[in-house]
Amino acid sequence: MTESNPLTRLREIMARLRDPEHGCAWDRAQTAASIVPHTLEEAYELADAVARDAGDAASTAELREELGDLLFQVVFQARIAEEAGRFDLDDVARGIADKLVRRHPHVFAGHAFGDDAEREAAWEDDKAASREQRGHASAMDDIPLALPALARAVKTQRRAARDGFDWDDAGPVVDKIHEEMAEVSVAVAEGVDPDAVAEEVGDVLFAVSNWARHLGVDPEGALRGSTRKFEARYRRMEALAAAEGQSLDALGFDAQERLYQRARRQLRGESDEPEDPQA
């Protein structure tokens, strides 16, 4: 195998794994569709490594490894396509390079945009032209169904906003959230079927993701952060309960809530003593 070029070596390894006679049975059995779940998993693991990156040697090694795992998924897909005579990894790299150059004329062609809005408009025009070339009639046609729900919601909202279907600011979005929450309460009070309640809850989440978009916040990342924060607090709750010789699941909710507030204060570096409401 070639040792001088790491990418060449990786491609040769992939070809060997897929070899009909001497390759790996599992790798040979895979299709473009069957490895998609693995690709998504690797992407999430990379996102997690980035979120937990502390800049130290261990984090650097983990980040590098996760990037390699995701790169392998690209090489895997390209190899499957190459075997079918469709395209290879060079075509993939050439295509993305051409697209980046085309979408950055201010960097590669000396074009000057008046402001960020003009640059963004040109970017979106190029993407719209690409969608049209692929035969997509609607702005919603090529939004991946496999995207996480919050990310997909924001993407659909951005597409609609490009056509002018959007509020000018975040104020009306907040009103919409309250409206949708009231509809959930009505559905629950009227005892409608669970599917109808789920639909109303979905409307609330869609409105909240729209609010986040107007505020310039990525709701997917924000929710991941809040979930990590809750996880850290819950782990601290478990430790606090164990230090007192108790099992967290054996405590009542009020006792659990007191531990949660202690955990929250500790992790924020605040005093472990509860605030005096009379102070």
Side-chain angles (χ1 to χ4, degrees), residues 173-193:
V173 188
V174 177
D175 296 335
K176 186 65 175 176
I177 292 172
H178 291 305
E179 175 188 327
E180 299 294 358
M181 290 177 65
E183 292 182 6
V184 174
S185 298
V186 170
V188 173
E190 293 180 349
V192 300
D193 67 272

Side-chain angles (χ1 to χ4, degrees), residues 6-278:
L7 284 177
T8 299
R9 179 170 179 251
L10 179 58
R11 294 175 69 175
E12 291 175 348
I13 290 172
M14 185 73 256
R16 179 67 178 272
L17 290 172
R18 293 275 298 179
D19 185 273
E21 295 183 9
H22 306 292
C24 169
W26 185 90
D27 290 284
R28 291 200 311 267
Q30 300 313 303
T31 65
S34 71
I35 64 172
V36 166
H38 302 285
T39 305
L40 293 174
E41 181 180 345
E42 297 298 352
Y44 286 127
E45 290 182 1
L46 173 60
D48 185 62
V50 170
R52 294 185 291 103
D53 184 15
D56 56 7
S59 295
T60 298
E62 181 179 4
L63 182 58
R64 183 178 62 242
E65 180 178 351
E66 296 301 344
L67 283 166
D69 290 344
L70 188 56
L71 175 60
F72 177 72
Q73 296 297 311
V74 176
V75 173
F76 206 150
Q77 286 282 7
R79 178 63 193 181
I80 292 173
E82 183 179 357
E83 291 169 357
R86 303 176 66 189
F87 56 81
D88 63 12
L89 188 62
D90 288 339
D91 295 321
V92 173
R94 187 179 301 110
I96 185 59
D98 289 345
K99 182 165 66 174
L100 288 171
V101 170
R102 186 178 68 249
R103 290 186 176 176
H104 294 82
H106 53 300
V107 176
F108 298 104
H111 181 83
F113 290 115
D115 52 29
D116 287 344
E118 184 180 344
R119 175 178 52 78
E120 289 294 330
W123 177 283
E124 295 300 339
D125 287 344
D126 184 81
K127 290 198 291 186
S130 296
R131 288 196 299 274
E132 186 175 347
Q133 290 174 358
R134 295 195 298 270
H136 298 303
S138 170
M140 301 293 165
D141 277 352
D142 63 339
I143 300 176
L145 291 172
L147 277 176
L150 287 175
R152 191 167 191 273
V154 170
K155 198 169 185 68
T156 61
Q157 293 156 5
R158 285 176 175 162
R159 291 283 180 87
R162 286 208 307 270
D163 289 337
F165 190 63
D166 196 13
W167 282 292
D168 292 333
D169 56 61
V173 188
V174 177
D175 296 335
K176 186 65 175 176
I177 292 172
H178 291 305
E179 175 188 327
E180 299 294 358
M181 290 177 65
E183 292 182 6
V184 174
S185 298
V186 170
V188 173
E190 293 180 349
V192 300
D193 67 272
D195 289 341
V197 173
E199 181 179 346
E200 298 296 349
V201 171
D203 290 344
V204 173
L205 294 173
F206 189 84
V208 170
S209 68
N210 201 12
W211 187 31
R213 178 178 65 87
H214 274 269
L215 296 176
V217 173
D218 168 27
E220 195 74 36
L223 182 57
R224 281 199 300 267
S226 291
T227 302
R228 287 195 302 271
K229 181 169 61 178
F230 177 81
E231 180 183 8
R233 290 175 179 178
Y234 198 85
R235 291 179 186 276
R236 183 62 60 91
M237 286 172 64
E238 292 172 321
L240 290 171
E244 296 175 358
Q246 299 174 314
S247 174
L248 189 59
D249 59 2
L251 300 176
F253 178 77
D254 289 342
Q256 289 179 337
E257 176 63 19
R258 285 193 293 272
L259 285 179
Y260 180 83
Q261 294 303 327
R262 281 187 61 193
R264 181 183 63 83
R265 289 192 297 271
Q266 287 184 6
L267 290 173
R268 293 173 62 177
E270 300 174 353
S271 171
D272 196 27
E273 297 299 323
E275 296 180 1
D276 185 352
Q278 304 299 321

